[in-house]
Amino acid sequence: MKRILLILSFAILTVGHANAQGIEFRDNTPWADIVKLAEEQDKLIFIDCYTTWCGPCKALAREIFPQKKVGDYFNPNFICVKYDMEKGDGKMLNERYKEHIPGYPTLLFIDKQGNVKQQMAGFQEADVLIKTAQMAVQGRDLFTLRKEYEAGNRDIALLGDYMASLDAAFLKDDAKKVAEDYLKNLDPKELDRDEVWNAFGKYVTDIHSPLFEHLVNNAGRYGGILKRDRQAINFQVKTACDTELRHLLRIDIDEQGQLQQPLSTDTAWAEKVIWYMEKTGQAGADLYKLQLYVHKQLLKGQHAEAWQAIKMGVKSRMSGFHSMKVGDYVDYLAAQTRDKKVLKEYLGVMEGFLHRGTSLEYTVYKTLANLNRRLGNKQLAEEQQKNYDTQMEIERKKFEEFFKTDK
């Protein structure tokens, strides 16, 4: 009896394991054979376009494709195949469908005539992958939706599906254009509707718009009563505020310490943006308050007061008073004085940024060279300028190497 129960238990476990299988891929199978199967079975082809060096490709293969719910939908509905896009038929397909492959991984849904019906790019969560696949099967694919949109259909259900397809395909410019067109005349109260928010909520990033102010004023309600992702909303608001304040409080100077463009005088707007941060509980409002105080003092020509505030930020190791930002302040202030005592004080603060082990430490040498030239230390200034120029060239080459497209 025990032996029978053991055999039955083993059989149940075996069946359970089989049912837990994810997508059953054909791996680098000749493309002609795949097309033939699609014709015989009257199915769409699902292609995982991967490379051996692609991290997100490996993550999809490890975390998403093996999931039971993914396999349960894909296996009966598609001819599933994966190709290394750098060898065999993968190279041929990469060339044939290159306009649909912005990077790796790319996931393509292709009909038996070889037409791309749906595309996705990058790592995708299981539910998003399944939903996009369902849209392809139902004929609500990216390109069908695009035709309807271009024909003038602005039904919110269609827009929601179209935006989801554009996002999944990583067609950022297209998605942004559709969002801007829809949002430009939208009543802010419409953001309360789930279908509108789900399609366009993350595109409410124009900090000057009534929509953005509505988002700030309702962030708590959205995250509470309406059960929206408050963390994502906070990130959205903070990103927009950070970008605006960096623009408003920037100080752009040339090698001689002269302003390339005037300091912004719109301090009232800067105060409102800081209020947006405080209203939504964002970190960093105090940093921008101190930077705004410095900015106001510079506008008034109160350089000593501005310097005291800068030193406070440096002493407190506030993130916005790093070596590059303080270097810009010092280059500007140094151009306004010949007082060697003041210049030496600037020098001491900038030297304090050395040997902290930061990646941007070398930028300090540009400001040190500038200060030592003004103090008459020409040889030391030349050495520091050479140190800066050499390291700057190394970083430039690293940057170019990183963005090389040929592998």
Side-chain angles (χ1 to χ4, degrees):
M1 184 66 180
K2 288 182 179 179
R3 180 178 176 83
I4 293 172
L5 288 174
L6 184 62
I7 292 172
L8 287 172
S9 298
F10 179 76
I12 291 169
L13 287 171
T14 303
V15 171
H17 178 73
N19 289 339
Q21 187 172 336
I23 298 180
E24 297 172 345
F25 280 108
R26 293 169 172 83
D27 194 356
N28 291 293
T29 302
W31 178 242
D33 293 347
I34 295 299
V35 173
K36 184 177 179 182
L37 277 173
E39 291 173 344
E40 291 172 352
Q41 298 183 27
D42 193 24
K43 291 181 180 178
L44 291 173
I45 302 166
F46 171 64
I47 306 180
D48 171 25
C49 304
Y50 73 93
T51 66
T52 56
W53 47 263
C54 165
C57 300
K58 295 174 183 177
L60 272 176
R62 181 179 62 250
E63 301 172 21
I64 304 301
F65 295 151
Q67 291 187 30
K68 181 181 183 300
K69 64 180 178 181
V70 176
D72 285 350
Y73 188 77
F74 274 77
N75 292 332
N77 287 294
F78 300 96
I79 304 299
C80 301
V81 60
K82 59 197 311 182
Y83 288 101
D84 181 340
M85 305 307 281
E86 296 181 332
K87 67 180 185 182
D89 276 9
K91 291 179 70 174
M92 175 272 292
L93 292 168
N94 196 15
E95 179 62 27
R96 178 182 295 182
Y97 295 114
K98 59 185 177 182
E99 67 177 297
H100 299 288
I101 304 176
Y104 305 109
T106 289
L107 309 175
L108 298 179
F109 299 82
I110 298 176
D111 66 20
K112 56 190 177 184
Q113 287 79 38
N115 303 309
V116 175
K117 304 302 292 180
Q118 190 82 299
Q119 67 188 66
M120 306 178 79
F123 181 87
Q124 303 290 338
E125 295 293 346
D127 290 342
V128 175
L129 181 59
I130 292 169
K131 180 180 178 181
T132 305
Q134 289 171 336
M135 290 170 66
V137 170
Q138 295 163 2
R140 303 301 292 164
D141 54 84
L142 170 63
F143 302 102
T144 298
L145 295 170
R146 174 175 287 169
K147 286 180 183 177
E148 291 188 32
Y149 178 80
E150 291 176 348
N153 189 339
R154 294 298 184 269
D155 179 76
I156 190 60
L158 176 131
L159 290 173
D161 287 344
Y162 187 36
M163 289 298 293
S165 288
L166 290 172
D167 285 340
F170 209 65
L171 296 173
K172 288 186 173 182
D173 291 343
D174 290 350
K176 184 179 179 181
K177 188 175 184 304
V178 173
E180 287 176 348
D181 181 67
Y182 183 80
L183 294 173
K184 63 184 178 183
N185 297 315
L186 187 71
D187 183 333
K189 292 180 181 178
E190 287 291 290
L191 290 176
D192 288 9
R193 295 170 56 196
D194 285 341
E195 58 269 37
V196 173
W197 177 260
N198 292 337
F200 298 105
K202 70 178 182 179
Y203 290 93
V204 180
T205 56
D206 180 1
I207 200 167
H208 297 278
S209 70
L211 292 173
F212 190 88
E213 185 162 6
H214 180 83
L215 175 60
V216 168
N217 287 328
N218 290 275
R221 183 168 66 89
Y222 281 8
I225 296 173
L226 297 182
K227 306 298 182 185
R228 292 170 184 171
D229 187 342
R230 181 62 192 272
Q231 186 175 356
I233 292 172
N234 283 351
F235 180 78
Q236 186 170 326
V237 171
K238 181 169 173 55
T239 299
C241 290
D242 282 340
T243 301
E244 184 71 4
L245 288 166
R246 286 170 186 158
H247 172 75
L248 289 168
L249 304 178
R250 73 192 184 285
I251 178 166
D252 294 331
I253 54 176
D254 59 23
E255 294 296 328
Q256 287 71 47
Q258 300 301 312
L259 285 170
Q260 294 185 8
Q261 55 185 342
L263 296 176
S264 170
T265 58
D266 200 353
T267 56
W269 172 238
E271 287 173 352
K272 183 167 185 178
V273 177
I274 292 172
W275 179 82
Y276 281 167
M277 296 186 74
E278 292 181 314
K279 174 77 173 178
T280 51
Q282 308 297 332
D286 288 342
L287 161 66
Y288 286 121
K289 283 182 178 179
L290 185 56
Q291 286 189 347
L292 179 57
Y293 174 81
V294 171
H295 195 85
K296 287 179 176 179
Q297 301 312 308
L298 294 177
L299 284 171
K300 293 187 292 186
Q302 302 291 338
H303 297 155
E305 289 79 359
W307 179 240
Q308 291 303 313
I310 292 167
K311 287 196 296 183
M312 183 188 304
V314 172
K315 185 177 180 180
S316 302
R317 294 211 172 193
M318 297 180 78
S319 60
F321 288 85
H322 48 76
S323 60
M324 289 186 69
K325 180 70 174 179
V326 177
D328 286 342
Y329 283 141
V330 168
D331 285 339
Y332 173 71
L333 290 169
Q336 318 300 319
T337 184
R338 295 183 179 179
D339 189 326
K340 290 193 174 183
K341 182 179 178 182
V342 172
L343 292 172
K344 287 179 180 178
E345 187 175 356
Y346 296 160
L347 188 70
V349 169
M350 292 309 300
E351 287 175 338
F353 285 108
L354 295 176
H355 313 303
R356 290 188 179 182
T358 63
S359 61
L360 298 174
E361 186 173 291
Y362 73 93
T363 62
V364 174
Y365 286 105
K366 179 173 73 71
T367 302
L368 291 177
N370 179 32
L371 290 169
N372 276 308
R373 275 193 293 269
R374 292 179 181 279
L375 288 166
N377 304 325
K378 293 184 179 180
Q379 184 175 347
L380 179 57
E382 288 177 5
E383 291 174 1
Q384 290 170 335
Q385 185 66 48
K386 184 177 180 181
N387 192 332
Y388 169 75
D389 291 340
T390 300
Q391 190 60 40
M392 186 67 175
E393 180 63 15
I394 292 172
E395 294 299 321
R396 184 187 67 79
K397 288 181 179 178
K398 284 182 183 177
F399 185 82
E400 289 179 352
E401 187 68 25
F402 181 80
F403 283 100
K404 276 186 178 178
T405 54
D406 53 317
K407 296 292 180 183

